[in-house]
Amino acid sequence: MMASEQLFKGTVLVIEDNLLNLDMACELLEMAGFRAYQAMDALTGIRMAKDLMPDIILMDLHMPQTDGFVATQMIKNEPNLKEIPIVAFTALAMQEDQEKAIISGCSGVISKPIDINSFAQTVGGYLKEKPPTQKTSPKTPENTSQKEVKQVTKKGDSLQNQIKNTTPYNYDKPNFSQGIERVHSLDIEPHKILVVDDNTMNVELLRDALENMGQTVITAYGGKTAIGLVKREKPDLVLLDIMMPDMDGYAVLEILKKDPEMAEIPVIFISALNKTQDMVRGFKQGTFDYITKPFKIEEVKARVLSSLRIKDLQDSLRRERDKLNAIFRFSADGIALMGLNHEIMRANPVFGKWFNLALSSEGKTSTPVGFFKLIGCQCSHSEACPLHAESFSLESLQTSKTTSDDMILENAIITDRNGQPRYLSIHYGKISTAMDDPLEGYVVVLRDVTQEKTIEQSKETFVASLTHDLKTPIRAEYQALDLLKSGNFGPLSEEQADILKEIIQSNRYMSRLVDSLLTTYMYEEGKMELKLELMDINNLIQDVLAPLKTLAAEKELSLVLDLGDTLPHVWLDPIEMQRVLNNLIQNAISFTPNGGQVTVSTYNNQEKQLWVSVEDTGQGITPEDLQTLFERYKSMAKKFRQVGTGLGLYLSRMIVEAHGGQIQVESEVGKGSRFFFSLPVLKKGERPQAIQNKGYRVETLTSNVS
């Protein structure tokens, strides 16, 4: 069948940011009798859809800036476009992505890579049934007047804030090169292009074409002039003729490539020399592309824009490389890059200084140095240091903190130039360009943590002093006061007894404060050791309530217990959990006015969670205060003229989370508050291994509970 007699099957708009996929899809559709148009980004595609009113749209889902999901929704929100079927055209094969595409408004999904044999037929299956027409007279925009096209572009008012109106596209020749030109000219940033040719007509033709694309063009009619312009103007691209009278293009290119300031500027030869050896010579000298004369303007535009895109990407990579080099050079950490055999290939100045390595200006070592041998020989021989010269090897990494690709080795010790020990934290990882790529080498980052280690040791010394120098006299003071109160040193008057009572209460408060500070420090530093027992939470609550009943009675509060029956036993540290229960219940009593009620409940409303609730009829907490209630040093005591450190709820949260649970609060101003927390319920015989992931040391004690 002749092309003029081929049945026209419909108009297809392909929105795809991969040029190879775009060209292949359009070529297959054209061969099958469709008229195909292309766009390389979503917003351009929406503009074209408004002009073309295609029969179907193929939409790539993952594109930069605006993805296919959002673009599909935008099209479906347009009254003139919503009936056009949209088919997701994507390499994604996951069910959730297909479902998301359907929810966004797609009629179906066509997977990439393209199945050449069935692609066009699959696309045709999504078209609404209509009689085929002759391809010579399709109802497409090339038969629409410019006035009609302009009217169409004004209809999509809801997109006006997102898509700028543009001059209607020229649809007289809907071929691939024109589609590329049209799309690129809309989404490419302006660049400066130098056109060099001794033929004035060629220069003007190229100038007009490139300026119509929004590019800035400067011109030269000889090689020597071109070199001066490149040095002065620093263009983004050079279109260079080869055969020129004063200096040919090869000589110009050679000069440009020898100058470091100009060597990175891409050059495209445009020449009548079309023999293979001419092209090969150009590519060997470093030309970016080669276009033969007489040239097609659409081809030139496509190649220019493709080159500019690559140039922009290279510039971006170059900027990122410069940033990384600056970080590498000026970092306070020691950084080294190693080969597959762990030989140091390049290191930064800090690394070289620490290990007395002679490095070039680029950080390269004069002779290969093995990292493990280097750092092993420098290590102090102490039990705390795993980097002994005799034992340190790649296998020792297995005993450190590791992930699938990285290692962190802490407390390594080297001896500096002054013979002083330096503590290092070693971060070691593999280098590969992608997940499935083969291993290319290793990187190691050494951080000097000597100062932090010294501070940590000072902190531990301070905590030990705090434990001994504060808690010991507080206990002694309490014992002495208790003896006085008991009358062992003689009878007390009523006034003396009241004063002693106040002093003893202050002593207890100070003791609790010191204990809370120490415990909080232990949790924050990950030094806390939980001693877990399998227990009945109801029994523990009864033990905690016993000494608090007197406090509740003094305020004439009703203390209600609503403890669940046949609750599962849970693993907990009884001393630490008593802190939580005592803090929550005592807070409820303190913040509830005389005659109120405090209710303590336990229940099991989920299979793997046991809940404890403490509810009061107090004054409640504002929504603003609820946001920060469990943070450190956040206290409600001052608002109600009471004494409080702000550590109680913060410490309670850490204890509950260390047990693998969570703590929450509900409150309403004027009605009261409810604090409740969960504890995990493990299967019979199961040990609480998951809690160890919190970073705390865990000891599970034997229990008589079956």
Side-chain angles (χ1 to χ4, degrees), residues 133-158:
T133 59
Q134 292 295 324
K135 193 172 182 178
T136 54
S137 59
K139 185 172 180 55
T140 52
E142 60 267 37
N143 296 328
T144 305
S145 69
Q146 289 292 322
K147 181 177 180 181
E148 290 172 334
V149 172
K150 289 180 180 179
Q151 291 174 348
V152 171
T153 59
K154 293 180 180 179
K155 290 183 179 179
D157 292 334
S158 64

Side-chain angles (χ1 to χ4, degrees), residues 412-423:
I413 307 173
I414 64 171
T415 303
D416 63 17
R417 294 178 177 179
N418 300 320
Q420 298 297 318
R422 308 295 296 178
Y423 292 89

Side-chain angles (χ1 to χ4, degrees), residues 242-243 250 271-275 278-279 290-293:
I242 293 180
M243 295 185 294
Y250 295 120
S271 174
L273 299 176
N274 57 6
K275 293 183 179 180
D278 298 318
M279 298 181 185
Y290 198 106
I291 301 174
T292 58
K293 296 180 181 177

